């Protein structure tokens, strides 16, 4: 397997990172590899066979991860692991290991003592800032080697194009040796990573170990990346002993209200350390004092001055003068290093004429280039700035084109995205638009970054009016929508509509995409107007007909018309299935599954779920697979098959936990709590409910948090009513009140109706009949507003009669029928 055989390297890397635990019954299949790496499944056969024959992979027949059939599955061997470590030196990975500190490490005793003091506290974040070239990275690297014993090290360098998903991807690589693949799978989810979910998965992977993490070059982080990092740090440090360092040319990245934080500003070396450093490099003789004064003690500038003795200039201008001595061929040869988002392999640089390995070694000796621990080449910031000042625009375009060709050797998502970015920078508009439209999902998979957004905007502005330009604008809208930047997403869609110049299908699709965004913004009237505009455009394709039905269902659901919404979702699903539009089919079934169970269409639900599940699995949409399984479990429970429902729930729990789908896991734990309550298994129900509520609170999932608090309220009520444990009633009231408060913060749902009904029961047991009736009526009104008549009937029957019986038991006057007989009770929550 040679250095340029990228597919086998990617296969080994994917299998190592995503391997399930040894005891897991499933494995990584050929189809899963093909989908993740962007190849056709058939093209994987030969490299897999070769890797198995060479002893780098072990193959066995077993269950595939996302399906039921037994196929050949693969695991990496010890030989394969060793080969992977060797080969990945030549593959673009966009992640790094701990850089080695200079040897010997001179000076910085006070700074090291300060960092040691900070680290003794534990569970803190430290901001290290200072001008470029002062040795901040070397300082932290040295400190990390002193404290990393017993800790898991992780080093991430931020580039202009870095996104939160790339951070999570690099973190999953760093933790893969722990045998916890959930983070790796989390990076495959079709949505942006949530910092609190990543922190939770990180804690589970570490399993009690401490993390020593460094985020370098933070000044290059965009707003999205900064927000993600601040939320991640607050979440991961909660109650943990991790040490996290941020290195930047600017001040602290964010305010740390609840997390212990420290700041260290790094200046130049003191005179003694600077003298020792220059002496070890060959000395500056009588030039030392002037160089020391003008360099402000910068280790980088001091080294440059020693390594370039013939250069007569002050230290601040030294990088520009040294770069100015390069001949044009050398400038062009190393320019890609200044433009790349990561260190580059030497083999790539030596492909350029006149750029030999020997010449690269000479340039390293002068301080212009820097060798990494992995044998790659990079350039420090002050040298990069000087090189870019000398380069002309045509030089930069050619360098970007070379980088695009380099990344074209790999099909990794990061490499495809880098290729697109460099093609835009090289002004190869046609190739950039082509790769964007062909690899849209792969390029967008890594999430939002300011660099990607800028490239899309630039490409859309320079392309002539064409279908390709409209497509770029729609892709930009997709990126912005996923980033929750709804205002700009709408603007991109309006531009696409203008550029489409009345072309009916594209214009209608853009209007329908706008409908979805406006509904997310809760601008229902404006969304309705967009839908009407789309409807008046004229004849549409069968695919668009499905999209129309889906959009109309969303509009109906937003106004509480669940019955009508269900009909539209079912129609959208059927149309999408006929036209074989997998995305629309899955989106329709996911939307439909939210409302069908509420309307008691259980037999229809079970039939459609059974038909949709294989398609969702084949498409790799495990989020939809798990949602469908949850809907099926609810349908089983509603049709009297409780044991089957519980088995299904536990299956979902296992899959969601192993694959890192934390939101689905919270829903599952809440559902298991409901089923335990039904079976009067109080201890089990409380355990599930507490797990669900704690996880929901960490993830910010108010729906599950509120619903689970309502379950705890219901559970306490039942114990108090059936077992006479009246001491539980105050706890029931407290959980019920908090449940209503949490659920009132989000759009009205059946869970709010259930919460009111449970709280009504709690107040009835508390002998507070007035409040019981108030919450009973609120529950009934909520269910009726949502057109959930079966739920309204259930609440009226159970809660109304319960309040009546409690009133009779305390010898109060009979409650008027009009007063109690117009409210409701909880449904699937736990009755």
């Amino acid at each position: 397997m040679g250095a340029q055989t990228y597919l086998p390297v990617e296969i080994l890397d994917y299998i190592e990172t995503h391997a399930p635990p040894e005891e897991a019954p499933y494995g990584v299949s050929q189809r899963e590899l093909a989908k993740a790496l962007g190849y056709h499944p058939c093209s994987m056969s030969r490299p897999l066979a070769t890797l198995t024959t060479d002893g780098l992979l072990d193959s066995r027949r077993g269950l595939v991860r996302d399906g039921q059939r037994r196929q050949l599955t693969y695991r990496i061997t010890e030989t394969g692991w060793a080969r992977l470590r060797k080969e990945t030196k030549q593959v673009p990975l966009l992640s790094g290991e701990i850089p080695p500190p200079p040897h010997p490490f001179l000076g910085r005793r006070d700074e090291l003592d300060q960092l040691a003091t900070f680290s003794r506290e534990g569970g803190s974040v430290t901001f290290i800032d200072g001008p470029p070239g002062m040795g901040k990275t070397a300082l932290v690297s040295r400190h990390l080697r002193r404290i990393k014993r017993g800790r898991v090290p992780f080093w991430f360098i931020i580039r202009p194009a870095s996104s939160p998903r790339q951070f999570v991807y690099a973190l999953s690589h760093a933790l893969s040796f722990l045998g916890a693949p959930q983070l790796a799978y989390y990076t495959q989810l079709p949505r942006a990573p949530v910092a609190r979910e990543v922190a939770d998965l990180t804690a589970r992977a570490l399993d009690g170990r401490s993390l020593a993490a460094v985020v370098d070059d933070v000044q290059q982080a965009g707003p999205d990346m900064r927000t993600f990092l601040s939320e991640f740090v607050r979440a991961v440090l909660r109650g943990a002993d991790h040490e996290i360092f941020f290195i930047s040319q600017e001040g602290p990245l964010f305010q740390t209200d609840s997390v212990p934080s420290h700041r260290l500003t790094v200046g130049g070396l003191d005179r003694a350390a600077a003298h020792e450093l220059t002496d070890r490099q060959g000395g500056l003789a009588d030039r030392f004092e002037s160089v020391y004064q003008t360099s402000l003690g910068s280790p980088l500038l001091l080294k440059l001055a020693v390594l370039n003795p013939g250069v007569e200039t002050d230290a601040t201008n030294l990088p520009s003068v040294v770069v100015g001595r390069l001949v044009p061929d050398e400038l062009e040869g190393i320019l890609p290093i200044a433009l790349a988002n990561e260190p580059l392999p030497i083999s790539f640089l030596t492909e350029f004429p006149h750029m030999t390995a020997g010449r690269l070694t000479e340039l390293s000796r002068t301080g212009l280039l820097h060798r990494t621990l992995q044998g790659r080449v990079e350039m420090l910031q002050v040298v990069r700035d000087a090189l870019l000042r000398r380069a002309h625009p045509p030089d930069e375009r050619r360098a970007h084109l070379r980088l695009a060709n380099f990344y074209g050797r790999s099909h990794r998502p990061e490499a495809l995205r880098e290729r697109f970015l460099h093609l835009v920078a090289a002004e190869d508009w046609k190739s950039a638009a082509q790769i964007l439209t062909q690899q849209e999902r792969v390029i967008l998979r890594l999430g939002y970054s300011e660099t990607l957004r800028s490239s899309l905007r630039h490409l859309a502005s320079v392309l002539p009016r064409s279908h390709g330009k409209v497509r770029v604008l729609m892709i930009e809208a997709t990126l912005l929508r996923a980033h929750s930047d709804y205002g700009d997403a709408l603007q991109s869609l309006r531009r696409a509509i203008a550029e489409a110049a009345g072309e009916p299908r594209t214009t209608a699709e853009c209007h329908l995409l706008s409908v979805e965004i406006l509904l997310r913004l809760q601008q229902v009237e404006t969304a309705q107007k967009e839908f009407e505009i789309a409807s008046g455009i004229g004849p549409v394709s069968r695919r668009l007909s499905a999209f129309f039905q889906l959009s109309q269902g969303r509009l109906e659901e937003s106004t509480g018309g669940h019955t009508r919404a269900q009909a539209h979702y079912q129609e959208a699903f059927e149309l999408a299935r006929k036209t074989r539009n997998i995305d629309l089919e899955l989106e329709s079934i996911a939307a439909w599954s939210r409302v069908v169970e509420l309307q008691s269409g259980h037999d229809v639900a079970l039939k459609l779920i059974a038909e949709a599940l294989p398609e969702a699995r084949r498409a790799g949409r495990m989020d939809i697979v798990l949602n469908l399984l949850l809907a099926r479990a609810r349908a089983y429970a509603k049709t009297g098959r409780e044991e089957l429902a519980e088995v299904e729930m536990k299956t979902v729990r296992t899959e969601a936990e192993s694959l890192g789908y934390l939101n689905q896991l919270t829903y599952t734990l809440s559902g298991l709590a409901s089923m335990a309550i039904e079976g009067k298994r109080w201890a089990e129900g409380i355990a599930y409910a507490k797990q669900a509520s704690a996880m929901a609170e960490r993830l910010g999932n108010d729906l599950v948090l509120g619903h689970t608090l309502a379950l705890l309220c219901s559970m306490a009520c039942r114990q108090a009513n059936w077992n006479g444990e009246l001491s539980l009633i105050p706890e029931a009231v407290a959980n019920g009140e908090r449940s209503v408060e949490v659920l009132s913060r989000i759009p009205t749902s059946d869970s709010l109706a259930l919460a009111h009904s449970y709280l009504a029961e709690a107040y009835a047991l508390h002998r507070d009949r007035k409040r019981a009736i108030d919450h009973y009526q609120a529950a009934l009104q909520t269910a009726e507003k949502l057109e959930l008549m079966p739920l309204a009937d259930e609440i009226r029957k159970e809660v109304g009669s319960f309040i009546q019986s409690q009133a009779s038991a305390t010898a109060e006057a009979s409650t008027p029928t009009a007063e109690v007989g117009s409210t409701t009770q909880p449904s699937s929550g736990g009755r």
Side-chain angles (χ1 to χ4, degrees):
M1 184 170 62
Q4 303 301 320
T5 311
Y6 286 93
L7 181 57
V9 173
E10 293 161 356
I11 291 172
L12 291 175
D13 178 59
Y14 184 91
I15 291 177
E16 184 212 22
T17 308
H18 294 72
E22 284 292 335
E23 66 275 10
Y26 53 85
V28 179
S29 67
Q30 181 170 329
R31 181 174 290 275
E32 178 183 333
L33 283 164
K35 179 181 179 297
L37 301 178
Y39 290 88
H40 190 278
C42 294
S43 66
M44 308 295 290
S45 301
R46 183 175 295 177
L48 281 171
T50 302
L51 290 168
T52 304
T53 302
D54 293 346
L56 307 179
L57 288 180
D58 175 41
S59 67
R60 65 188 71 173
R61 189 163 292 278
L63 290 173
V64 299
R65 193 190 303 263
D66 296 340
Q68 305 300 321
R69 293 187 299 119
R70 299 176 72 85
Q71 298 177 5
L72 280 179
T73 60
Y74 299 89
R75 291 181 183 270
I76 193 168
T77 63
E78 287 294 326
T79 306
W81 187 89
R83 183 69 66 87
L84 175 64
R85 286 293 175 269
K86 177 182 176 182
E87 294 293 339
T88 49
K89 292 181 179 180
Q90 299 297 320
V91 178
L93 287 176
L94 290 171
S95 62
E97 300 177 21
I98 301 176
H103 182 73
F105 188 85
L106 304 174
R108 303 294 192 196
R109 181 171 298 175
D110 291 343
E111 290 91 337
L112 286 171
D113 287 345
Q114 276 188 276
L115 290 176
T117 302
F118 296 160
S119 293
R120 274 197 289 272
E121 181 178 350
S124 64
V125 57
T126 302
F127 299 99
I128 297 97
D129 60 87
M134 289 298 175
K136 301 183 292 297
T137 296
L139 173 67
V140 177
S141 175
R142 172 73 173 186
H143 174 65
L144 213 62
R145 277 162 169 72
R146 299 170 67 181
I147 69 162
K148 75 172 185 177
R149 180 172 297 178
R151 297 180 185 270
V152 178
F154 169 60
W155 195 289
F156 184 77
I157 302 174
I158 292 183
R159 308 299 183 187
S162 294
S163 68
R165 194 179 294 269
Q166 286 173 299
F167 175 86
V168 180
Y169 184 84
L171 183 59
S172 73
H173 267 270
L175 302 183
S176 63
F177 76 97
L178 298 175
Q182 289 92 340
L183 261 179
Y185 264 93
Y186 189 84
T187 63
Q188 309 288 329
L189 296 186
R191 59 176 173 82
V194 178
R196 286 169 294 186
E197 294 182 352
V198 175
D200 192 80
L201 283 172
T202 301
R204 289 167 57 193
L206 289 167
D207 193 24
R209 301 174 183 84
S210 294
L211 185 69
V214 181
V215 183
D216 203 349
D217 282 343
V218 176
Q219 73 279 355
Q220 299 193 79
D224 190 59
M225 189 70 178
R226 293 182 181 224
T227 300
F228 176 86
L229 289 172
S230 65
E231 293 176 356
F232 171 77
V233 166
R234 289 189 181 98
V236 82
L237 284 179
R238 191 181 296 126
D241 192 35
H242 310 308
E243 289 292 314
I244 300 180
F245 302 87
F246 288 98
I247 304 175
S248 177
Q249 296 174 20
E250 304 169 353
L253 175 67
F254 54 87
Q255 296 295 321
T256 56
D257 304 324
S258 57
V259 175
S261 64
H262 314 283
R263 180 180 181 182
L264 175 63
T265 300
V266 179
L269 294 172
D270 60 38
R271 183 175 272 95
H275 207 290
E276 186 175 358
L277 173 66
T278 55
D279 280 353
R280 285 179 178 274
Q281 300 287 335
L284 287 170
D286 57 353
R287 298 169 56 223
F288 172 78
E289 193 60 35
S290 63
V291 170
Y292 178 70
Q293 293 295 335
T294 57
S295 69
L296 302 178
S298 164
L300 172 64
L301 295 179
L302 288 168
K303 288 179 183 178
L304 277 177
V306 174
L307 297 171
N308 297 274
V311 178
E312 296 295 333
T313 184
D314 61 85
T316 53
N317 292 320
L318 188 57
S320 297
V321 175
V322 174
V323 166
R325 299 170 72 184
L326 294 171
V327 299
D329 282 346
E330 292 173 338
L331 175 73
E332 191 169 356
I334 66 172
L335 186 56
I337 305 175
L339 299 172
N341 283 320
E342 63 173 334
L344 298 173
I346 293 174
S347 60
F348 163 71
L349 296 170
T350 54
E351 293 171 3
F352 190 76
H354 314 298
M355 188 55 63
T356 63
R359 183 54 181 153
L360 288 172
T361 301
E362 291 175 21
L363 293 175
S364 297
R365 289 200 191 103
T366 65
L368 287 180
L369 303 182
H370 175 70
R371 296 284 183 95
T372 69
L373 185 65
Q374 298 80 30
R376 300 186 186 192
V377 182
E378 64 179 348
M379 194 175 285
L380 300 180
Q381 188 64 46
V382 292
V383 178
R384 178 183 287 110
D385 293 342
L387 192 68
L388 292 176
R389 282 195 296 270
R390 183 180 167 190
H392 299 294
D395 300 327
E396 291 192 29
R397 287 195 293 271
R398 286 193 295 272
H400 279 297
L401 203 55
R402 285 175 58 199
L403 287 166
N405 292 332
F406 167 65
Y407 284 107
R409 301 170 183 175
S410 172
H411 276 233
R412 298 173 69 93
E414 307 93 322
L416 282 166
R417 180 142 129 174
E418 288 295 306
R419 184 184 177 196
F420 167 73
L421 294 174
H422 287 297
L423 284 171
V424 174
E427 299 183 6
D428 188 347
W429 316 125
K430 182 178 178 181
S431 298
Q434 186 178 32
I435 191 175
L436 178 65
T437 54
Q438 290 175 347
Q439 302 286 350
E440 172 189 347
R441 291 189 181 183
V442 177
I443 290 171
L444 296 186
R445 189 190 301 172
L446 292 176
Y448 183 94
S449 75
E450 287 294 328
T451 303
L452 177 60
R453 169 73 195 282
S454 176
S455 295
L456 288 170
R457 187 188 301 118
H458 190 50
L459 184 59
S461 66
V462 298
L463 286 173
R465 173 167 284 187
S466 62
H467 177 72
K469 182 168 187 169
V470 174
R471 189 72 201 135
V472 171
L473 287 166
M474 293 175 72
I475 291 171
E476 181 184 24
T478 300
L479 174 73
L480 294 168
R481 183 182 59 191
H483 176 60
S484 300
D485 194 345
Y486 298 134
D488 283 353
L490 287 170
Q491 207 167 42
S492 296
L493 288 172
R494 292 187 183 108
R495 285 185 61 199
I497 291 169
E499 292 290 338
E503 198 282 313
R505 292 186 183 181
T506 303
T507 305
E509 185 174 354
C510 289
H511 281 298
L512 293 178
L513 289 170
S514 300
V515 168
E516 181 194 359
I517 295 173
L518 290 165
L519 288 176
R520 292 189 186 190
L521 294 170
Q522 298 184 351
Q523 298 178 18
V524 180
E525 290 184 8
T526 310
Q528 183 65 51
K529 291 176 182 176
E530 286 284 331
F531 183 80
E532 290 168 2
I533 293 171
S535 301
I537 287 176
V540 295
S541 64
R542 287 194 297 172
R543 175 189 172 278
L544 267 178
S545 295
F547 201 174
F548 270 106
Q549 291 292 335
L550 177 60
S551 301
Q552 198 163 358
R554 287 169 172 162
L555 283 166
E556 294 288 357
E557 186 180 359
S558 69
T559 56
H562 290 84
T563 303
R564 295 185 296 277
Q566 178 184 334
H568 288 299
Y569 289 148
Q570 285 181 321
E571 181 66 20
F573 173 72
E574 294 294 344
L575 285 170
R577 187 169 55 177
K578 288 176 184 176
T579 57
R580 297 185 180 181
N581 190 301
I582 303 302
D583 285 335
L584 275 175
E585 181 182 337
L586 295 177
E587 288 295 332
S588 300
I589 200 70
W592 169 81
S593 67
R594 289 196 302 267
V595 298
V596 67
E597 187 266 335
L598 299 174
Q599 304 302 320
S600 299
H602 308 301
D603 292 335
V604 177
L606 289 170
K607 180 175 181 294
L608 286 174
I609 289 170
E611 294 175 356
L613 269 171
E615 194 65 63
R617 287 190 183 277
R618 282 195 296 272
R621 291 294 302 270
M622 283 303 296
D623 54 333
I624 290 179
V625 168
L626 296 174
N627 289 339
L628 292 172
L629 292 175
L630 285 170
R632 186 160 71 181
R634 289 194 297 268
Y636 284 151
K638 282 293 184 179
T639 52
R641 289 172 276 184
E642 287 82 5
E643 290 186 9
L644 197 55
E646 193 159 0
V647 169
E648 189 89 314
M649 281 281 188
K650 289 180 177 178
T651 301
V652 176
R653 180 191 180 187
T654 301
E655 285 203 76
E657 196 166 24
S658 66
L659 300 179
Y661 287 77
L662 299 188
N663 263 314
Q664 281 86 350
L665 180 58
T666 60
Y667 283 106
T668 307
L669 291 169
S670 182
L672 286 168
S674 296
M675 305 193 79
I677 294 172
E678 287 296 329
K680 301 180 186 177
R681 304 190 303 272
W682 308 120
E684 184 181 337
I686 290 171
Y688 280 133
K690 286 184 175 178
Q691 288 180 65
S693 60
M695 185 171 285
E697 193 151 26
R698 281 201 305 273
L699 302 180
N701 189 326
D702 284 343
L703 179 61
V704 175
L705 175 61
H707 183 75
T708 309
L709 288 168
L711 291 181
L712 288 169
C713 171
S714 172
M715 200 170 344
C717 285
R718 291 189 174 203
Q719 287 179 276
N721 190 37
W722 292 340
N723 301 337
E725 299 180 40
L726 299 181
S727 61
L728 295 173
I729 295 175
E731 179 186 348
V733 170
N735 282 326
E737 287 286 4
R738 188 173 176 222
S739 170
V740 169
E741 186 270 324
V742 169
L743 291 169
S744 296
R745 298 197 299 247
I746 60 177
T748 306
S749 67
D750 65 315
S751 291
L752 180 59
L754 296 177
H756 277 300
S757 70
Y758 293 146
L759 189 53
E761 290 182 333
Y763 275 122
L765 287 169
H766 202 252
R767 304 292 189 262
D768 190 336
R769 183 168 175 271
K770 181 181 182 305
R771 289 187 180 178
I773 291 174
D774 288 343
H775 284 286
Y776 166 71
Q777 290 177 337
L780 190 60
Q781 289 164 7
T782 302
E784 290 172 344
K785 176 185 175 183
L786 295 173
E787 298 183 6
L788 302 178
M789 306 324 297
L791 177 59
D793 292 340
E794 191 177 354
I795 293 175
R796 189 176 290 110
K797 175 184 175 183
E798 294 194 20
V799 182
S801 61
F802 183 75
I803 295 174
Q804 186 79 28
S805 66
Q806 289 299 307
S808 300
T810 55
E812 290 187 9
S814 298
T815 305
T817 304
E819 196 173 3
V820 176
S822 59
T823 323
T824 53
Q825 121 168 14
S827 75
S828 58
R831 291 196 175 278

